[in-house]
Amino acid sequence: MQSHKSLWFPFLHKEKILLIFIVFILINISIYTTFQHSIFSYANYGVNYPNAGLEFFYYIYCIGVNPFFFILLMLLLPNLVSYDFLNIHQNHHAYMIETRINKKQYYLDIFKKNILMTFIVMLIIQGLMALIIHFFYLPIHFNTMNYPVDYYCTTQVLAHNELISFILFVMFTALGYSIVSSLVFSLQMMITNKYIYRCFGVIFGILLVLIPALIQGYLPIPEAAFLLQINNLVAIGMENVRVNPFGLSNLSLYFISALLYSLLSIICFQIFIKRRQIND
């Protein structure tokens, strides 16, 4: 038990906290910029629309409108655990741990810790975002409203009750980023340069947004391409430029995409372990 607890130590240090803090400051700059260039900054908007604060919270997640927020989070993902893991491996500092608890078990433990840390960090970031929006921009209320058809921003993304929808959205978004983070972790089998890997999350995230749109014309069922779009995991129901594929609900689309990404992550992780065992 003590040896497993000690696995946290290389990933919990002052530089990590500083990095998360800097990213959070940049996220706040992104929020301010988005607010100033949106309809939410109009005079008396918050007075006329009681759910304005909650609408703005969801609006930030729209990758097409505010890509900087998404880019910052994707920049953070490889630097939570994965980069340190790669750095420790290349410096041979993990040799004694790998020998003591078995290399495969060691990799599996760090893989799980990466998912857990990503989930916790994303929950904290989203919670702080909601508080900052509530106190400094527009108050967040949970008033169940009847929105007109095709309204530009609804707050009943995953459930009719505004509060339940908000809780589910925050939890599932954090889990979505955790699943993506696990895939980024597994792709160390291809990206071995630790300096390039630091920024790999941004490149990977942009590709996961663009590739489904580019390949849909080459598939027998074009709609199937959008099951792999990262928006389904990290911006649930926020991209309203097209209807959900196969008429799926936001929640159903999320679970299908989460399952596909999880399977892909597990496959890549198994390949990653085998390559390490062969080449090390």
Side-chain angles (χ1 to χ4, degrees), residues 93-146:
H93 291 164
Y95 178 75
M96 294 300 294
I97 301 175
E98 293 176 4
T99 303
R100 186 169 68 252
I101 67 172
N102 178 285
K103 178 176 290 190
K104 185 175 181 179
Q105 185 61 46
Y106 168 63
Y107 288 177
L108 182 59
D109 286 345
I110 302 302
F111 182 76
K112 293 177 181 177
K113 285 175 171 54
N114 175 62
I115 294 174
L116 180 59
M117 182 176 286
T118 303
F119 182 76
I120 293 172
V121 169
M122 290 304 163
L123 278 183
I124 293 172
I125 287 176
Q126 291 181 98
L128 291 175
M129 278 173 52
L131 290 175
I132 287 170
I133 290 171
H134 178 74
F135 289 108
F136 296 100
Y137 292 94
L138 296 164
I140 293 179
H141 301 295
F142 300 101
N143 304 304
T144 301
M145 297 178 62
N146 294 317

Side-chain angles (χ1 to χ4, degrees), residues 155-173:
T155 54
Q156 297 157 345
V157 184
L158 300 175
H160 184 66
N161 183 285
E162 310 280 5
L163 178 58
I164 294 175
S165 181
F166 174 80
I167 294 172
L168 290 176
F169 181 88
V170 169
M171 295 288 290
F172 286 144
T173 300

Side-chain angles (χ1 to χ4, degrees), residues 4 25 35 67 79 96 106 114 127 137 193 234 249 264 277-278:
H4 287 285
I25 294 298
F35 180 79
N79 294 286
M96 294 300 294
Y106 168 63
N114 175 62
Y137 292 94
N193 185 302
V234 302
S249 66
L264 183 60
Q277 289 176 331
I278 293 173

Side-chain angles (χ1 to χ4, degrees), residues 97-274:
I97 301 175
E98 293 176 4
T99 303
R100 186 169 68 252
I101 67 172
N102 178 285
K103 178 176 290 190
K104 185 175 181 179
Q105 185 61 46
Y106 168 63
Y107 288 177
L108 182 59
D109 286 345
I110 302 302
F111 182 76
K112 293 177 181 177
K113 285 175 171 54
N114 175 62
I115 294 174
L116 180 59
M117 182 176 286
T118 303
F119 182 76
I120 293 172
V121 169
M122 290 304 163
L123 278 183
I124 293 172
I125 287 176
Q126 291 181 98
L128 291 175
M129 278 173 52
L131 290 175
I132 287 170
I133 290 171
H134 178 74
F135 289 108
F136 296 100
Y137 292 94
L138 296 164
I140 293 179
H141 301 295
F142 300 101
N143 304 304
T144 301
M145 297 178 62
N146 294 317
Y147 288 94
V149 178
D150 297 328
Y151 188 70
Y152 71 95
C153 186
T154 63
T155 54
Q156 297 157 345
V157 184
L158 300 175
H160 184 66
N161 183 285
E162 310 280 5
L163 178 58
I164 294 175
S165 181
F166 174 80
I167 294 172
L168 290 176
F169 181 88
V170 169
M171 295 288 290
F172 286 144
T173 300
L175 181 59
Y177 272 109
S178 300
I179 293 171
V180 175
S181 181
S182 72
L183 181 54
V184 172
F185 180 97
S186 301
L187 290 178
Q188 284 186 28
M189 63 182 180
M190 297 189 302
I191 312 297
T192 56
N193 185 302
K194 60 185 180 182
Y195 302 107
I196 294 176
Y197 186 75
R198 265 192 179 277
C199 303
F200 175 66
V202 175
I203 301 170
F204 189 57
I206 293 173
L207 288 175
L208 292 177
V209 172
L210 297 178
I211 287 178
L214 296 175
I215 67 172
Q216 61 171 324
Y218 301 95
L219 298 179
I221 307 176
E223 283 186 303
F226 293 103
L227 295 176
L228 283 174
Q229 198 165 47
I230 195 174
N231 309 52
N232 303 331
L233 293 178
V234 302
I236 314 165
M238 293 297 105
E239 305 294 340
N240 298 317
V241 294
R242 57 172 178 78
V243 297
N244 287 348
F246 308 110
L248 294 168
S249 66
N250 292 329
L251 202 54
S252 298
L253 184 57
Y254 172 86
F255 282 120
I256 292 173
S257 296
L259 177 61
L260 292 174
Y261 271 92
S262 298
L263 290 173
L264 183 60
S265 176
I266 292 171
I267 292 170
C268 290
F269 180 65
Q270 293 301 321
I271 296 172
F272 167 66
I273 290 177
K274 289 181 179 179

Side-chain angles (χ1 to χ4, degrees), residues 64-114:
V65 175
N66 185 26
F68 192 52
F69 173 70
F70 170 70
I71 288 171
L72 283 171
L73 291 182
M74 290 304 298
L75 177 64
L76 184 61
L77 292 190
N79 294 286
L80 289 174
V81 170
S82 305
Y83 168 79
D84 293 314
F85 177 71
L86 179 61
N87 188 41
I88 290 170
H89 172 75
Q90 292 186 348
N91 292 335
H92 305 291
H93 291 164
Y95 178 75
M96 294 300 294
I97 301 175
E98 293 176 4
T99 303
R100 186 169 68 252
I101 67 172
N102 178 285
K103 178 176 290 190
K104 185 175 181 179
Q105 185 61 46
Y106 168 63
Y107 288 177
L108 182 59
D109 286 345
I110 302 302
F111 182 76
K112 293 177 181 177
K113 285 175 171 54
N114 175 62

